[in-house]
Amino acid sequence: MTSDEETSRAERTASAMHRTAEQLEVAEAILHRSAEDSPNTGTAARLHALGDQVTAQAHDIDRRANRLPAERDQPS
């Protein structure tokens, strides 16, 4: 595989990872909105905590995606 093909593959993978992170952020917003609408404080707290975990995962995916094309550009 050529370097250009590897870079292209890394860029496509990074793009897919960014889209996944964006979808997770939508899910996070839904979780927090559901928490705000919940009449049960325990349920609300669990939904907020889950939303925070989803946000952390989305940010981690974004960070890894940002590094992916750059890692391909590093000399072996």
Side-chain angles (χ1 to χ4, degrees):
M1 185 175 302
T2 70
S3 178
D4 288 341
E5 289 171 332
E6 289 177 8
T7 298
S8 179
R9 180 178 287 171
E11 288 170 349
R12 287 192 310 271
T13 300
S15 179
M17 291 171 74
H18 285 303
R19 286 192 306 273
T20 298
E22 289 171 4
Q23 292 170 344
L24 287 171
E25 289 174 0
V26 169
E28 173 262 338
I30 292 168
L31 286 165
H32 285 299
R33 193 173 328 116
S34 296
E36 294 299 323
D37 292 342
S38 177
N40 182 294
T41 57
T43 299
R46 286 190 299 277
L47 287 170
H48 278 305
L50 183 56
D52 293 342
Q53 291 172 357
V54 169
T55 299
Q57 289 296 317
H59 291 170
D60 182 54
I61 290 169
D62 262 337
R63 279 190 297 276
R64 291 187 332 225
N66 288 336
R67 289 192 312 255
L68 190 58
E71 289 173 357
R72 289 289 189 192
D73 294 337
Q74 300 295 321
S76 301

Coordinates of all heavy atoms in Angstrom, one line a residue:
M1 N 0.9 -1.2 0.0 CA 0.0 0.0 0.0 C 0.9 1.2 0.0 O 1.9 1.3 0.7 CB -0.9 0.0 1.2 CG -1.9 1.1 1.2 SD -3.1 1.0 2.6 CE -3.8 -0.5 2.4
T2 N 0.6 2.2 -0.8 CA 1.4 3.4 -0.9 C 1.1 4.3 0.3 O 0.0 4.2 1.0 CB 1.1 4.2 -2.2 OG1 -0.2 4.7 -2.1 CG2 1.3 3.3 -3.4
S3 N 2.0 5.3 0.5 CA 1.8 6.3 1.6 C 0.5 7.1 1.4 O -0.2 7.4 2.3 CB 3.0 7.2 1.6 OG 2.8 8.1 2.6
D4 N 0.2 7.4 0.1 CA -1.0 8.2 -0.2 C -2.3 7.4 0.2 O -3.2 7.9 0.7 CB -1.0 8.6 -1.6 CG -0.1 9.7 -1.9 OD1 0.4 10.4 -1.0 OD2 0.3 9.9 -3.1
E5 N -2.2 6.1 -0.1 CA -3.4 5.2 0.2 C -3.5 5.1 1.7 O -4.7 5.1 2.2 CB -3.2 3.8 -0.4 CG -3.3 3.8 -1.9 CD -2.9 2.5 -2.6 OE1 -2.1 1.8 -2.0 OE2 -3.4 2.2 -3.6
E6 N -2.4 5.0 2.4 CA -2.5 4.9 3.9 C -3.0 6.2 4.4 O -3.8 6.1 5.4 CB -1.1 4.6 4.4 CG -0.7 3.2 4.1 CD 0.8 2.9 4.7 OE1 1.3 3.8 5.4 OE2 1.3 1.8 4.4
T7 N -2.6 7.3 3.9 CA -3.1 8.6 4.4 C -4.6 8.8 4.1 O -5.3 9.2 5.0 CB -2.3 9.8 3.8 OG1 -0.9 9.6 4.1 CG2 -2.8 11.1 4.2
S8 N -5.0 8.4 2.9 CA -6.4 8.5 2.6 C -7.2 7.6 3.5 O -8.3 8.0 4.0 CB -6.6 8.0 1.1 OG -7.9 8.1 0.8
R9 N -6.7 6.4 3.8 CA -7.5 5.5 4.7 C -7.5 6.1 6.1 O -8.6 6.0 6.7 CB -6.8 4.1 4.7 CG -7.5 3.1 5.6 CD -6.8 1.8 5.6 NE -7.1 1.2 4.4 CZ -6.6 0.0 4.0 NH1 -5.7 -0.6 4.7 NH2 -6.9 -0.5 2.8
A10 N -6.5 6.6 6.6 CA -6.4 7.3 7.9 C -7.4 8.5 7.9 O -8.1 8.6 8.9 CB -5.0 7.7 8.2
E11 N -7.4 9.2 6.9 CA -8.3 10.4 6.8 C -9.8 9.9 6.8 O -10.7 10.5 7.5 CB -8.1 11.3 5.6 CG -6.7 12.0 5.8 CD -6.3 12.7 4.5 OE1 -6.9 12.5 3.4 OE2 -5.4 13.5 4.6
R12 N -10.1 8.9 6.1 CA -11.5 8.3 6.1 C -11.9 7.8 7.4 O -13.0 8.0 7.9 CB -11.7 7.3 5.0 CG -11.7 7.8 3.6 CD -12.1 6.8 2.6 NE -11.4 5.5 2.7 CZ -10.3 5.2 2.0 NH1 -9.7 6.1 1.2 NH2 -9.8 4.0 2.2
T13 N -10.9 7.1 8.1 CA -11.2 6.6 9.4 C -11.4 7.7 10.4 O -12.4 7.7 11.2 CB -10.0 5.7 9.9 OG1 -9.9 4.6 8.9 CG2 -10.3 5.1 11.2
A14 N -10.6 8.7 10.3 CA -10.7 9.9 11.2 C -12.1 10.6 11.0 O -12.7 11.0 12.0 CB -9.6 10.9 11.0
S15 N -12.5 10.7 9.8 CA -13.8 11.3 9.5 C -14.9 10.5 10.1 O -15.8 11.1 10.7 CB -13.9 11.5 7.9 OG -15.2 12.0 7.6
A16 N -14.9 9.2 9.9 CA -15.9 8.3 10.5 C -15.9 8.5 12.0 O -17.0 8.5 12.6 CB -15.7 6.9 10.1
M17 N -14.7 8.6 12.6 CA -14.6 8.7 14.1 C -15.2 10.0 14.5 O -16.0 10.1 15.5 CB -13.2 8.6 14.5 CG -12.6 7.2 14.4 SD -10.9 7.1 14.7 CE -10.8 7.2 16.5
H18 N -15.0 11.1 13.8 CA -15.6 12.4 14.1 C -17.1 12.4 14.0 O -17.8 12.9 14.8 CB -15.0 13.5 13.2 CG -13.6 13.9 13.5 ND1 -13.2 14.4 14.8 CD2 -12.5 13.9 12.8 CE1 -12.0 14.7 14.8 NE2 -11.5 14.4 13.6
R19 N -17.6 11.7 13.0 CA -19.1 11.6 12.8 C -19.6 10.8 14.0 O -20.7 11.1 14.5 CB -19.4 10.9 11.5 CG -19.3 11.8 10.3 CD -19.9 11.2 9.1 NE -19.4 9.9 8.7 CZ -18.4 9.6 8.0 NH1 -17.6 10.6 7.6 NH2 -18.0 8.3 7.8
T20 N -19.0 9.7 14.4 CA -19.4 9.0 15.6 C -19.4 9.8 16.8 O -20.4 9.8 17.6 CB -18.5 7.7 15.8 OG1 -18.6 6.9 14.6 CG2 -18.9 7.0 17.0
A21 N -18.4 10.6 17.0 CA -18.3 11.5 18.2 C -19.5 12.5 18.2 O -20.1 12.8 19.2 CB -17.0 12.3 18.2
E22 N -19.8 13.1 17.0 CA -20.9 14.0 16.8 C -22.3 13.3 17.2 O -23.1 13.9 17.9 CB -21.0 14.5 15.4 CG -19.9 15.5 15.1 CD -19.9 15.8 13.6 OE1 -20.8 15.4 12.8 OE2 -19.0 16.6 13.2
Q23 N -22.4 12.1 16.8 CA -23.6 11.3 17.1 C -23.7 11.1 18.6 O -24.8 11.1 19.2 CB -23.7 10.0 16.3 CG -23.9 10.2 14.8 CD -23.7 9.0 14.0 OE1 -23.2 8.0 14.5 NE2 -24.2 9.0 12.8
L24 N -22.6 10.8 19.2 CA -22.6 10.6 20.7 C -23.0 11.9 21.4 O -23.7 11.8 22.4 CB -21.2 10.1 21.1 CG -20.9 8.6 20.8 CD1 -19.4 8.3 21.1 CD2 -21.8 7.7 21.6
E25 N -22.5 13.0 20.9 CA -22.9 14.3 21.5 C -24.4 14.6 21.4 O -25.0 15.1 22.3 CB -22.1 15.4 20.9 CG -20.6 15.3 21.4 CD -19.7 16.3 20.7 OE1 -20.2 17.1 19.9 OE2 -18.5 16.3 21.0
V26 N -25.0 14.1 20.3 CA -26.5 14.2 20.2 C -27.1 13.3 21.3 O -28.1 13.8 22.0 CB -27.0 13.8 18.8 CG1 -28.5 13.7 18.7 CG2 -26.5 14.8 17.7
A27 N -26.6 12.1 21.4 CA -27.2 11.2 22.5 C -27.0 11.8 23.8 O -27.9 11.7 24.7 CB -26.5 9.9 22.4
E28 N -25.8 12.5 24.1 CA -25.6 13.1 25.4 C -26.6 14.2 25.6 O -27.1 14.3 26.7 CB -24.1 13.7 25.3 CG -23.8 14.5 26.5 CD -23.9 16.0 26.3 OE1 -23.9 16.4 25.1 OE2 -24.1 16.7 27.3
A29 N -26.9 15.0 24.6 CA -27.9 16.1 24.8 C -29.3 15.5 25.2 O -30.0 16.0 26.0 CB -28.0 16.9 23.6
I30 N -29.6 14.4 24.5 CA -30.9 13.7 24.8 C -30.9 13.2 26.2 O -31.9 13.3 26.9 CB -31.2 12.6 23.8 CG1 -31.4 13.2 22.4 CG2 -32.3 11.7 24.2 CD1 -31.4 12.2 21.2
L31 N -29.8 12.6 26.6 CA -29.8 12.1 28.0 C -29.9 13.2 29.0 O -30.7 13.1 30.0 CB -28.4 11.4 28.3 CG -28.3 10.0 27.6 CD1 -26.8 9.5 27.6 CD2 -29.2 9.0 28.3
H32 N -29.3 14.3 28.8 CA -29.4 15.4 29.8 C -30.8 16.0 29.7 O -31.4 16.4 30.8 CB -28.3 16.5 29.5 CG -27.0 16.1 30.0 ND1 -26.7 15.8 31.3 CD2 -25.8 15.9 29.3 CE1 -25.4 15.5 31.4 NE2 -24.8 15.6 30.2
R33 N -31.4 16.1 28.5 CA -32.7 16.6 28.4 C -33.7 15.7 29.2 O -34.6 16.1 29.9 CB -33.1 16.8 27.0 CG -34.4 17.6 26.7 CD -34.7 17.9 25.3 NE -33.5 18.0 24.4 CZ -33.2 17.2 23.4 NH1 -33.9 16.2 23.1 NH2 -32.1 17.4 22.7
S34 N -33.5 14.4 29.0 CA -34.4 13.4 29.7 C -34.2 13.5 31.2 O -35.2 13.4 31.9 CB -34.0 12.0 29.2 OG -34.3 11.8 27.8
A35 N -33.0 13.8 31.6 CA -32.7 13.9 33.0 C -33.5 15.1 33.6 O -34.1 15.0 34.7 CB -31.2 14.1 33.3
E36 N -33.5 16.2 32.8 CA -34.2 17.4 33.3 C -35.7 17.2 33.4 O -36.4 17.8 34.2 CB -33.9 18.6 32.3 CG -32.4 19.0 32.4 CD -32.0 19.5 33.7 OE1 -32.8 20.2 34.5 OE2 -30.8 19.3 34.1
D37 N -36.2 16.3 32.5 CA -37.6 16.0 32.4 C -38.1 15.0 33.4 O -39.3 14.8 33.6 CB -38.1 15.6 31.0 CG -37.9 16.7 30.0 OD1 -37.9 17.9 30.4 OD2 -37.9 16.4 28.8
S38 N -37.1 14.3 34.0 CA -37.5 13.1 34.9 C -38.0 13.7 36.2 O -37.3 14.5 36.9 CB -36.2 12.3 35.1 OG -36.6 11.2 36.1
P39 N -39.1 13.1 36.7 CA -39.6 13.5 38.0 C -38.9 12.9 39.2 O -38.9 13.3 40.3 CB -41.1 13.1 38.0 CG -41.1 11.9 37.0 CD -40.0 12.2 36.0
N40 N -38.1 11.8 38.8 CA -37.4 11.1 39.9 C -35.9 11.6 39.9 O -35.2 11.5 39.0 CB -37.4 9.6 39.5 CG -36.7 8.7 40.6 OD1 -35.5 8.8 40.7 ND2 -37.5 7.9 41.2
T41 N -35.5 12.1 41.1 CA -34.2 12.7 41.2 C -33.1 11.6 41.0 O -32.0 12.0 40.5 CB -34.0 13.4 42.6 OG1 -34.3 12.4 43.6 CG2 -35.0 14.6 42.7
G42 N -33.3 10.4 41.5 CA -32.3 9.4 41.3 C -32.1 9.0 39.8 O -31.0 8.9 39.3
T43 N -33.2 8.9 39.1 CA -33.1 8.7 37.7 C -32.5 9.8 37.0 O -31.6 9.7 36.1 CB -34.5 8.5 37.1 OG1 -35.1 7.3 37.7 CG2 -34.5 8.3 35.6
A44 N -32.8 11.1 37.4 CA -32.2 12.3 36.8 C -30.7 12.2 37.0 O -29.9 12.5 36.0 CB -32.8 13.5 37.3
A45 N -30.3 11.9 38.2 CA -28.8 11.9 38.5 C -28.1 10.8 37.6 O -27.0 11.1 37.1 CB -28.6 11.6 40.0
R46 N -28.7 9.7 37.5 CA -28.1 8.6 36.7 C -28.0 9.0 35.2 O -27.1 8.7 34.5 CB -28.9 7.3 36.8 CG -28.6 6.6 38.2 CD -29.2 5.2 38.3 NE -30.6 5.1 38.1 CZ -31.5 5.4 39.1 NH1 -31.1 5.7 40.3 NH2 -32.8 5.3 38.8
L47 N -29.1 9.6 34.7 CA -29.1 10.1 33.3 C -28.0 11.2 33.1 O -27.3 11.1 32.0 CB -30.5 10.6 32.9 CG -31.5 9.5 32.7 CD1 -32.9 10.2 32.6 CD2 -31.2 8.6 31.5
H48 N -27.9 12.1 34.0 CA -26.8 13.1 33.9 C -25.4 12.5 33.9 O -24.6 12.8 33.1 CB -26.9 14.2 35.0 CG -27.9 15.2 34.8 ND1 -27.9 16.0 33.6 CD2 -29.0 15.6 35.5 CE1 -28.9 16.9 33.7 NE2 -29.6 16.7 34.8
A49 N -25.3 11.5 34.8 CA -24.0 10.8 34.9 C -23.7 10.1 33.6 O -22.5 10.1 33.1 CB -23.9 9.9 36.1
L50 N -24.7 9.4 33.1 CA -24.5 8.7 31.8 C -24.2 9.7 30.7 O -23.3 9.4 29.8 CB -25.7 7.9 31.5 CG -25.7 7.0 30.2 CD1 -24.5 6.0 30.3 CD2 -27.0 6.2 30.1
G51 N -24.9 10.8 30.6 CA -24.6 11.8 29.6 C -23.2 12.3 29.7 O -22.5 12.5 28.7
D52 N -22.7 12.5 31.0 CA -21.3 12.9 31.1 C -20.3 11.9 30.6 O -19.3 12.2 30.0 CB -21.0 13.2 32.6 CG -21.8 14.5 33.1 OD1 -22.3 15.3 32.3 OD2 -21.9 14.6 34.3
Q53 N -20.6 10.6 30.9 CA -19.8 9.5 30.4 C -19.7 9.5 28.9 O -18.7 9.3 28.2 CB -20.2 8.2 30.9 CG -20.0 8.0 32.4 CD -20.6 6.7 32.9 OE1 -21.3 6.0 32.2 NE2 -20.4 6.5 34.2
V54 N -20.9 9.7 28.2 CA -21.0 9.7 26.8 C -20.2 10.9 26.2 O -19.4 10.7 25.2 CB -22.5 9.7 26.3 CG1 -22.6 10.0 24.8 CG2 -23.2 8.4 26.7
T55 N -20.3 12.0 26.9 CA -19.5 13.2 26.4 C -18.0 12.9 26.5 O -17.2 13.2 25.6 CB -19.8 14.4 27.3 OG1 -21.2 14.7 27.2 CG2 -18.9 15.6 26.9
A56 N -17.5 12.2 27.6 CA -16.1 11.9 27.7 C -15.7 11.0 26.6 O -14.6 11.1 26.1 CB -15.9 11.3 29.1
Q57 N -16.5 10.0 26.3 CA -16.2 9.1 25.2 C -16.1 9.8 23.9 O -15.2 9.5 23.1 CB -17.2 7.9 25.1 CG -17.1 6.9 26.3 CD -15.8 6.2 26.3 OE1 -15.3 5.8 25.3 NE2 -15.2 6.1 27.5
A58 N -17.0 10.7 23.6 CA -17.1 11.4 22.4 C -15.8 12.3 22.2 O -15.2 12.3 21.2 CB -18.3 12.3 22.3
H59 N -15.4 12.9 23.3 CA -14.2 13.7 23.3 C -12.9 12.8 23.1 O -12.0 13.2 22.3 CB -14.0 14.5 24.6 CG -15.0 15.6 24.7 ND1 -15.2 16.3 25.9 CD2 -15.9 16.1 23.8 CE1 -16.2 17.2 25.7 NE2 -16.6 17.1 24.5
D60 N -12.9 11.7 23.7 CA -11.8 10.7 23.5 C -11.7 10.3 22.0 O -10.6 10.2 21.5 CB -11.9 9.5 24.4 CG -10.8 8.6 24.3 OD1 -9.6 9.0 24.5 OD2 -11.0 7.4 24.1
I61 N -12.8 10.0 21.5 CA -12.9 9.6 20.1 C -12.4 10.7 19.2 O -11.6 10.5 18.2 CB -14.3 9.1 19.6 CG1 -14.6 7.8 20.3 CG2 -14.4 9.0 18.1 CD1 -16.1 7.4 20.2
D62 N -12.8 11.9 19.4 CA -12.3 13.1 18.7 C -10.8 13.2 18.8 O -10.1 13.5 17.8 CB -13.0 14.4 19.1 CG -14.2 14.8 18.3 OD1 -14.2 14.3 17.1 OD2 -15.0 15.5 18.8
R63 N -10.3 13.1 20.0 CA -8.8 13.3 20.2 C -8.1 12.2 19.4 O -7.1 12.5 18.7 CB -8.5 13.1 21.7 CG -8.7 14.4 22.4 CD -8.1 14.3 23.8 NE -8.7 13.3 24.7 CZ -9.8 13.5 25.4 NH1 -10.4 14.6 25.4 NH2 -10.3 12.5 26.1
R64 N -8.5 10.9 19.5 CA -7.9 9.9 18.7 C -8.0 10.1 17.2 O -7.0 9.8 16.5 CB -8.5 8.5 19.2 CG -8.1 8.1 20.6 CD -8.5 6.7 20.9 NE -9.7 6.3 20.2 CZ -10.7 5.6 20.8 NH1 -10.7 5.4 22.0 NH2 -11.7 5.2 20.0
A65 N -9.1 10.6 16.8 CA -9.3 10.8 15.4 C -8.4 11.9 14.9 O -7.8 11.8 13.8 CB -10.8 11.2 15.1
N66 N -8.2 12.9 15.7 CA -7.3 14.0 15.3 C -5.8 13.6 15.2 O -5.1 14.1 14.4 CB -7.4 15.2 16.4 CG -8.7 15.9 16.2 OD1 -9.3 16.0 15.2 ND2 -9.1 16.6 17.3
R67 N -5.5 12.6 16.0 CA -4.1 12.1 15.9 C -3.9 11.1 14.8 O -2.8 10.9 14.3 CB -3.7 11.4 17.2 CG -3.6 12.3 18.4 CD -2.9 11.6 19.6 NE -3.6 10.3 19.9 CZ -4.4 10.1 20.9 NH1 -4.7 11.1 21.7 NH2 -4.9 8.9 21.2
L68 N -4.9 10.5 14.3 CA -4.8 9.4 13.3 C -4.1 9.8 12.1 O -3.1 9.2 11.7 CB -6.2 8.8 13.0 CG -6.2 7.5 12.2 CD1 -5.4 6.4 13.0 CD2 -7.6 7.0 12.0
P69 N -4.5 10.8 11.3 CA -3.8 11.2 10.1 C -2.4 11.6 10.4 O -1.5 11.3 9.6 CB -4.6 12.3 9.5 CG -6.0 12.1 10.1 CD -5.7 11.6 11.4
A70 N -2.2 12.3 11.5 CA -0.8 12.8 11.9 C 0.1 11.6 12.1 O 1.3 11.6 11.8 CB -0.9 13.7 13.1
E71 N -0.4 10.5 12.7 CA 0.4 9.3 13.0 C 0.9 8.7 11.7 O 2.0 8.2 11.6 CB -0.3 8.3 13.9 CG -0.5 8.8 15.3 CD -1.4 7.9 16.1 OE1 -2.0 6.9 15.5 OE2 -1.6 8.1 17.3
R72 N 0.1 8.7 10.7 CA 0.4 8.1 9.4 C 1.5 8.9 8.7 O 2.3 8.4 7.9 CB -0.8 8.1 8.5 CG -1.8 7.1 8.9 CD -1.2 5.7 8.6 NE -2.3 4.7 8.8 CZ -2.0 3.5 8.8 NH1 -0.8 3.0 8.7 NH2 -3.0 2.6 9.0
D73 N 1.6 10.2 9.0 CA 2.6 11.1 8.4 C 4.0 11.0 9.1 O 4.9 11.5 8.5 CB 2.1 12.6 8.5 CG 0.9 12.8 7.6 OD1 0.6 12.0 6.7 OD2 0.1 13.8 7.9
Q74 N 4.0 10.4 10.2 CA 5.3 10.2 10.9 C 6.2 9.2 10.2 O 5.7 8.2 9.8 CB 5.1 9.7 12.4 CG 4.2 10.7 13.2 CD 4.9 12.0 13.4 OE1 6.1 12.1 13.6 NE2 4.1 13.1 13.4
P75 N 7.5 9.5 10.1 CA 8.4 8.5 9.5 C 8.5 7.3 10.3 O 8.4 7.3 11.6 CB 9.7 9.3 9.4 CG 9.6 10.5 10.3 CD 8.1 10.7 10.6
S76 N 8.7 6.2 9.7 CA 8.8 4.9 10.4 C 10.1 4.7 11.0 O 11.1 5.1 10.5 CB 8.5 3.7 9.4 OG 7.2 3.9 8.9

